[in-house]
Amino acid sequence: MEPSTQKLIHTFGALADLGQEVANTEDFTEMVRTSLHLLLGTLALRRGAVAECNNLGTLGCVAIWGLDHKFLEEFSLNEQEQRELLSVESPALLVGASNASFLQRYRDLLTTEGIELAVPMIVRQELTGFVLLGGKASGEEFSTDDFETIRAMVRHIGVGIHTHRLIEQVAQRAEENRRLYEELRAIYRDTVRAFAAASDIKDKYTQGHSERVSRYSESIAREMGWSEEEVEGIQIAGYLHDVGKLVVDRNIINAPYHIDAKSSSELNRHPAAGYEILAPINHPYADIPLMAKYHHERLDGRGYPDGLTDEQIPLGAKIVSLADSFDAMTTDRPYRRRRSFEDVIRDLRQNSGTQFDPKVVKTFLSLEDSLWKQLRAICR
Ligand SMILES: [Fe+2]
């Protein structure tokens, strides 16, 4: 076989290896290092380096062989030098002969270190960096074939670095988006808590009511096998179910006796008013306004505001309804003392199927986690 054919086959083999290397984005630095070694090995060069051009115009060493690691630290390119290199026709610049300002500025340093070629990596009209190469171990001049090999292999490395940068940028944006999303969720949760606190504060006898309803609703939903997202949704609905009380007269809410029919119908406006407040908001979870609207509905149709019956009431509203009633019965109210735990359980069982959904009651009574133990202690 002719030596030139052998060399050609070897070069193709090296290019194929390089193609595999640049496709492997898992270990970027290792990829560039192996690519540089392949390039140096193919042409039998003594030394070389791959330098990445960063935003500030400085060069960062990605891979280096046969040179001091600190060699590239002193290099930088101004904007004019970058523009000049982008318009250069030749793919490889001879350090000793090039007119490029950048090379003129560093010619002495490069020559002292034995660098003979500087090959700009230009991808999509962007100067990605340089491959700097020393002379051949044999002392021969670079041939036209050598320049072709260098051009092809440096192009591969440049595309690999460019792709890596893009992947990094995408990952960075994804991380920023994730952080922004988390911030928005935190703001949303804080707003929800502020709303809940506002409706609780108005009712001096039910401090913390919304938070407890939220916790009970969450436990029931989780026990019923709801997804984490749905559980978060009902947590929010628990917090907001009484937000409509903001539009009800404070004296009616805090009346220390059983209120008359007129005041009662005024108070009973709060689920529909809550819906009006919550519906225009773009909640991250579905059905929150409806859970607030229907938390005083009953299976037998005797609830309010719409007198819905069993299947017409969303399951979330049925859960919030039970959690709300449980908390109302187990806390002191202006016109009555809280009831005993046994009494409340008896009430839930008695009203299962008429006021409450039997599946929700059964689930609530089956809760055996720490919350349930806490409830028992609270009600004792
Ligand atoms: Fe309510």
Side-chain angles (χ1 to χ4, degrees):
M1 194 185 290
E2 290 277 321
S4 60
T5 313
Q6 263 183 343
K7 193 177 171 191
L8 195 64
I9 291 170
H10 181 72
T11 306
F12 271 123
L15 273 171
D17 289 347
L18 197 53
Q20 275 187 355
E21 282 302 325
V22 296
N24 174 16
T25 53
E26 277 174 25
D27 188 342
F28 168 70
T29 311
E30 188 55 37
M31 176 277 280
V32 179
R33 192 181 301 136
T34 311
S35 302
L36 176 65
H37 290 178
L38 273 168
L39 177 55
L40 298 180
T42 303
L43 298 174
L45 308 181
R46 287 180 194 277
R47 57 188 67 87
V50 178
E52 194 178 3
C53 192
N54 63 34
N55 291 340
L56 298 170
T58 53
L59 287 179
C61 176
V62 189
I64 200 156
W65 177 260
L67 295 158
D68 192 292
H69 275 75
K70 292 183 177 170
F71 164 61
L72 286 163
E73 280 178 7
E74 298 177 33
F75 288 78
S76 66
L77 288 102
N78 60 39
E79 279 185 30
Q80 196 201 327
E81 287 169 337
Q82 290 187 38
R83 271 199 302 278
E84 197 184 342
L85 287 167
L86 283 170
S87 61
V88 163
E89 298 277 311
S90 166
L93 306 171
L94 289 168
V95 173
S98 172
N99 291 328
S101 318
F102 169 70
L103 289 182
Q104 285 184 1
R105 197 149 61 89
Y106 291 110
R107 179 165 291 146
D108 288 349
L109 182 59
L110 289 165
T111 310
T112 311
E113 293 291 338
I115 299 297
E116 293 187 11
L117 283 182
V119 192
M121 291 185 286
I122 298 167
V123 184
R124 291 181 187 269
Q125 291 304 304
E126 213 179 278
L127 183 67
T128 309
F130 278 97
V131 174
L132 300 169
L133 299 171
K136 293 176 122 181
S138 62
E140 294 169 22
E141 297 278 304
F142 288 103
S143 68
T144 312
D145 286 350
D146 290 339
F147 279 121
E148 278 306 304
T149 305
I150 290 168
R151 191 190 64 78
M153 294 179 95
V154 168
R155 171 95 190 136
H156 268 286
I157 298 171
V159 168
I161 292 177
H162 189 76
T163 307
H164 176 73
R165 274 187 190 172
L166 288 180
I167 291 170
E168 273 195 334
Q169 280 170 9
V170 169
Q172 202 179 335
R173 294 226 176 98
E175 175 57 23
E176 276 169 24
N177 283 345
R178 193 198 59 74
R179 201 169 39 74
L180 280 172
Y181 176 68
E182 281 304 319
E183 277 175 23
L184 275 177
R185 272 167 68 110
I187 290 168
Y188 174 77
R189 283 199 207 103
D190 288 348
T191 310
V192 163
R193 291 208 170 98
F195 256 111
S199 54
D200 280 0
I201 277 171
K202 205 166 177 189
D203 185 344
K204 63 181 179 183
Y205 291 94
T206 57
Q207 302 281 302
H209 168 70
S210 298
E211 186 170 350
R212 289 191 298 274
V213 172
S214 171
R215 272 200 295 146
Y216 303 157
S217 303
E218 174 199 344
S219 298
I220 298 168
R222 186 162 279 131
E223 189 70 16
M224 290 182 103
W226 284 27
S227 71
E228 258 327 287
E229 198 184 312
E230 290 168 327
V231 169
E232 275 190 56
I234 203 161
Q235 252 183 316
I236 302 291
Y239 266 110
L240 295 176
H241 74 285
D242 267 348
V243 80
K245 282 189 177 170
L246 289 171
V247 303
V248 178
D249 187 334
R250 185 182 294 269
N251 294 325
I252 294 176
I253 296 173
N254 291 309
Y257 44 78
H258 276 292
I259 49 178
D260 61 21
K262 187 166 168 258
S263 297
S264 182
S265 81
E266 173 67 13
L267 181 62
N268 291 356
R269 279 177 56 218
H270 80 270
Y275 178 80
E276 296 299 323
I277 292 170
L278 297 174
I281 299 169
N282 192 10
H283 300 275
Y285 314 102
D287 294 343
I288 288 173
L290 285 179
M291 288 191 240
K293 185 175 186 180
Y294 296 134
H295 77 274
H296 283 295
E297 295 288 359
R298 298 168 50 110
L299 265 60
D300 57 13
R302 291 171 53 220
Y304 60 92
D306 292 344
L308 302 182
T309 52
D310 193 0
E311 324 77 61
Q312 296 173 308
I313 308 168
L315 180 57
K318 291 173 173 175
I319 293 173
V320 175
S321 167
L322 182 126
D324 183 34
S325 299
F326 180 82
D327 190 62
M329 289 188 279
T330 52
T331 46
D332 291 332
R333 290 292 155 117
Y335 42 85
R336 59 154 176 77
R337 295 271 302 151
R338 63 181 170 184
R339 291 159 64 180
S340 73
F341 181 77
E342 287 69 24
D343 194 17
V344 173
I345 298 304
R346 203 176 307 121
D347 189 291
L348 294 182
R349 286 211 172 96
Q350 272 172 4
N351 291 299
S352 174
T354 51
Q355 182 179 356
F356 306 117
D357 185 306
K359 289 193 295 297
V360 178
V361 174
K362 199 171 163 212
T363 307
F364 187 58
L365 297 180
S366 75
L367 290 177
E368 285 177 1
D369 60 8
S370 58
L371 170 71
W372 192 237
K373 284 176 195 139
Q374 281 171 33
L375 294 179
R376 222 178 257 276
I378 289 167
C379 305
R380 192 140 284 156

